Amino acid sequence: MDQQADVRPESGTAVEEVVERILRVPDGYRGFTTPQAALQKVYGVPGELVELLLDAGLPHRGSGDERRFDVFDLENVTVELELNSPSWMLMRTLGRAFDGGLGRSRNEYRFRTTGRCPEPGHSGACDFAPGSMLDAATGSGEVTWDGPASFVRQITLPAEEYWFDDSVLPLFASVDRLFFHLLPHALSTDVGFARETGLADCRLAGHVLLDEAGGTGVRVRGASGLIMSAPFPLQHMWVEVEVDGRWTAADPFFLRTLARWRIVDSRAWPAHRSPRRIYWAVEGAPAPQDIAMITHRGERASSSSRMVDWQD
């Protein structure tokens, strides 16, 4: 376990390291919209830690109770300092997908999607339907309705485990120096930013791999979809590598990040192991947020999804 993984909120050095990385993002990409009053309630940042962050130079506008902060800066603070926040708790749930916590070593999953009517009280009945993009995705199976706005979808992913061979390792090494950092959308495709700062989110790390692949002879394409985590399948982006004419999920950057966070064991999940039994790619979606899980009268509707038959 490396030293960066052992950060704690009470460590002044750790706070300084986190803020130093935050300051690599130019101020022009920040939106100072989050009031100081939300720091503890929403992000789990206690008052004494706020003072440490400010002393270390955390960007903000205003003073005293009128201070406002950037949401991405705060998300990075909560994740890197492992605070009791929704973002960090969500990251922790990923361990269930990788360690078999879904019940058994498996490649078949079921999750329930429940839609929300965008126009409550409208004339006529609601008309919900599964997202056609998911219907067409490889591995998509039976859809069973269990309510007027709720259905269970079954998917089947590749059953065999796969580890990439040495021919791909130099490509994977191209993201070794990158440090996970949640980024605003405008930076998440900027390969030059990643190379200059050493920071990347999952989307940007994928773009770095795509950019580097051209000189290696390895065929790579971007992918987005869902990680079969529990209790909720999580939206994610990764890459796929062509192996014997088939596209196989690869995520060396995020696997290394999860190991640094002690969410997965790097001995069990090295960067060259494929998560293809866990990752469900949905073609035609540039990013996970473009996936319509359910529609209402032909238009994308808000929804929530939850795994079925998982063991806590």
Side-chain angles (χ1 to χ4, degrees):
M1 181 175 67
D2 60 33
Q3 290 299 309
Q4 287 178 318
D6 197 31
V7 296
R8 291 292 184 273
E10 63 269 19
S11 169
T13 301
V15 167
E16 292 171 359
E17 290 172 355
V18 172
V19 173
E20 187 278 324
R21 286 191 291 272
I22 285 172
L23 292 174
R24 298 180 201 175
V25 177
D27 230 20
Y29 291 98
R30 291 187 170 86
F32 295 97
T33 59
T34 302
Q36 179 158 321
L39 265 62
Q40 180 155 356
K41 182 177 181 180
V42 178
Y43 296 95
V45 184
E48 59 271 23
L49 180 55
V50 174
E51 295 305 317
L52 288 174
L53 290 162
L54 291 170
D55 289 344
L58 182 68
H60 62 280
R61 292 290 182 269
S63 59
D65 292 339
E66 300 301 314
R67 292 192 191 98
R68 292 186 174 271
F69 300 85
D70 175 73
V71 62
F72 285 98
D73 292 345
L74 295 175
E75 294 285 359
N76 283 300
V77 166
T78 64
V79 170
E80 285 304 323
L81 296 183
E82 303 179 11
L83 302 181
N84 186 22
S85 68
S87 293
W88 176 242
M89 294 301 103
L90 196 63
M91 293 295 186
R92 296 291 300 180
T93 67
L94 284 169
R96 295 189 180 118
F98 290 90
D99 68 7
L102 284 169
R104 64 183 185 277
S105 180
R106 61 192 289 181
N107 67 310
E108 296 183 355
Y109 306 90
R110 296 195 305 151
F111 62 92
R112 176 176 291 103
T113 296
T114 303
R116 291 186 286 275
C117 178
E119 306 173 63
H122 61 70
S123 61
C126 287
D127 183 16
F128 288 98
S132 59
M133 190 180 294
L134 277 73
D135 289 340
T138 301
S140 184
E142 183 180 12
V143 170
T144 305
W145 288 87
D146 57 1
S150 177
F151 60 85
V152 173
R153 181 187 295 274
Q154 180 169 325
I155 68 166
T156 303
L157 300 180
E160 304 82 10
E161 296 283 6
Y162 186 80
W163 283 262
F164 293 95
D165 63 27
D166 291 349
S167 66
V168 183
L169 298 188
L171 173 61
F172 289 179
S174 66
V175 293
D176 280 354
R177 64 174 291 271
L178 299 180
F179 198 98
F180 181 88
H181 197 83
L182 295 163
L183 295 170
H185 184 77
L187 288 175
S188 64
T189 59
D190 190 338
V191 173
F193 172 83
R195 289 178 175 146
E196 178 183 350
T197 64
L199 302 178
D201 58 13
C202 293
R203 185 180 189 185
L204 183 50
H207 278 276
V208 171
L209 287 167
L210 291 170
D211 191 66
E212 293 285 342
T216 66
V218 179
R219 292 195 63 196
V220 179
R221 69 179 186 182
S224 68
L226 302 174
I227 298 178
M228 293 296 105
S229 182
F232 314 109
L234 299 181
Q235 297 179 341
H236 188 51
M237 299 188 73
W238 61 95
V239 298
E240 293 179 323
V241 177
E242 188 180 43
V243 178
D244 298 329
R246 297 177 60 185
W247 293 103
T248 299
D251 204 359
F253 172 72
F254 198 47
L255 286 177
R256 185 168 52 81
T257 298
L258 291 175
R260 181 174 62 81
W261 288 337
R262 306 179 307 284
I263 291 174
V264 303
D265 185 339
S266 61
R267 295 167 297 182
W269 283 98
H272 64 283
R273 181 178 177 180
S274 172
R276 66 183 187 176
R277 299 183 70 197
I278 301 169
Y279 285 23
W280 186 37
V282 179
E283 294 187 25
Q289 57 265 32
D290 298 314
I291 298 172
M293 305 290 287
I294 192 170
T295 61
H296 177 272
R297 295 185 171 184
E299 299 294 329
R300 177 176 176 168
S302 298
S303 65
S304 60
S305 295
R306 189 178 183 90
M307 299 298 294
V308 178
D309 298 336
W310 64 280
Q311 297 180 11
D312 203 353

